[in-house]
Amino acid sequence: MRIQDMPACTRPRERLLSQGVETLTDAELLAILLRTGTYGLSAIALAQSIIDQSGSLARLMTAPVEALQGIKGLGPVKRSQLLATLELARRSYAEQLKTQAVLESTQSLKHFLHSHFAGQYNESFIALFLDVEHRLIASETLFHGTLTRTAVYPREVARRALAHNAAAVIFAHNHPDGKASPSPHDKKLTSELKKILDGLEVKVLDHLIVAGNQFWSFHENGLC
């Protein structure tokens, strides 16, 4: 059944406005974003098909651009709508981190990092440069690596911290293998970064490892 043929009170957009966003299913929410279906499929049926092809809503929302291109029914227009929505969410999280202390906004930080690393098959290393009140000045991806390792150069990190006049920094990198625990290399790197930045009076607040929906914090585990 096409959405326009449904009783007005049962249509996703109308229910969202009258009953609240939490009353809609994943497929109904995605259908509102997609706006239209395809031949033989309503917007809701298409949305469910896209979720099923992705394996889950979480996998869809963290899929790399290349993976989205292979989903039947998700053409260039709908793909651009989805990507734009994800980017808006990422920017909103970054905006929140610029208006309040990062360590007081742990959920925003985790959302930001999750969206940043979404769909990445290789490791990458980012730095969040913070002001004296620990609000975000800028975030930069400093290094890209392989599936299991990223080469990080502490002197380059120090140079970027000085360029931003940062008072503090939070590091993060991803583990595409899904294991959110530090390697001996991760521990050694964190120690080296902390040592060199301490000499510049730039405080290392944390180093986070992101593996899917899992996070591992050097700070919370007493290593930073």
Side-chain angles (χ1 to χ4, degrees):
M1 178 185 293
R2 299 180 305 171
I3 289 180
Q4 56 263 45
D5 295 330
M6 298 169 62
C9 63
T10 65
R11 296 172 188 168
R13 186 179 294 112
E14 284 73 7
R15 284 177 48 229
L16 182 149
L17 294 174
S18 64
Q19 301 176 28
V21 66
E22 67 279 357
T23 64
L24 273 63
T25 66
D26 294 344
E28 289 172 330
L29 287 170
L30 182 57
I32 291 175
L33 176 63
L34 298 177
R35 298 181 58 190
T36 61
T38 58
Y39 181 77
L41 291 176
S42 69
I44 296 175
L46 173 62
Q48 187 60 60
S49 173
I50 290 171
I51 292 172
D52 291 343
Q53 290 178 67
S54 303
S56 68
L57 180 64
R59 289 185 179 180
L60 172 64
M61 302 305 283
T62 58
V65 176
E66 297 80 10
L68 294 179
Q69 292 174 349
I71 296 178
K72 184 178 180 181
L74 199 58
V77 173
K78 289 180 169 55
R79 193 162 63 244
S80 66
Q81 291 170 190
L82 181 59
L83 291 171
T85 300
L86 296 175
E87 179 61 16
L88 283 172
R90 189 192 68 81
R91 293 186 186 188
S92 72
Y93 300 138
E95 190 67 28
Q96 292 175 45
L97 298 178
K98 291 179 179 180
T99 60
Q100 51 191 313
V102 171
L103 293 182
E104 295 176 3
S105 314
T106 54
Q107 282 303 113
S108 294
L109 174 60
K110 288 182 177 180
H111 285 315
F112 173 79
L113 293 176
H114 184 268
S115 62
H116 175 85
F117 290 117
Q120 292 191 22
Y121 293 127
N122 294 330
E123 279 197 15
S124 64
F125 181 93
I126 72 169
L128 280 67
F129 299 106
L130 312 175
D131 64 17
V132 293
E133 296 184 359
H134 297 170
R135 295 174 302 193
L136 182 66
I137 298 172
S139 65
E140 290 188 10
T141 299
L142 298 179
F143 307 101
H144 293 281
T146 65
L147 181 63
T148 59
R149 185 163 180 174
T150 301
V152 178
Y153 303 98
R155 290 185 64 181
E156 175 63 15
V157 176
R159 188 180 72 83
R160 296 308 301 155
L162 291 174
H164 286 293
N165 194 30
V169 64
I170 291 176
F171 300 116
H173 76 278
N174 62 321
H175 280 184
D177 62 5
K179 299 177 182 178
S181 58
S183 66
H185 172 74
D186 294 334
K187 294 178 180 179
K188 180 181 178 182
L189 171 63
T190 303
S191 178
E192 291 175 351
L193 289 170
K194 192 174 187 305
K195 182 177 180 179
I196 193 171
L197 290 172
D198 279 348
L200 300 174
E201 297 184 346
V202 178
K203 185 173 179 57
V204 177
L205 298 181
D206 204 350
H207 182 177
L208 292 157
I209 298 172
V210 184
N213 292 320
Q214 302 177 65
F215 292 83
W216 198 95
S217 163
F218 274 72
H219 173 74
E220 291 177 1
N221 287 277
L223 296 178
C224 186

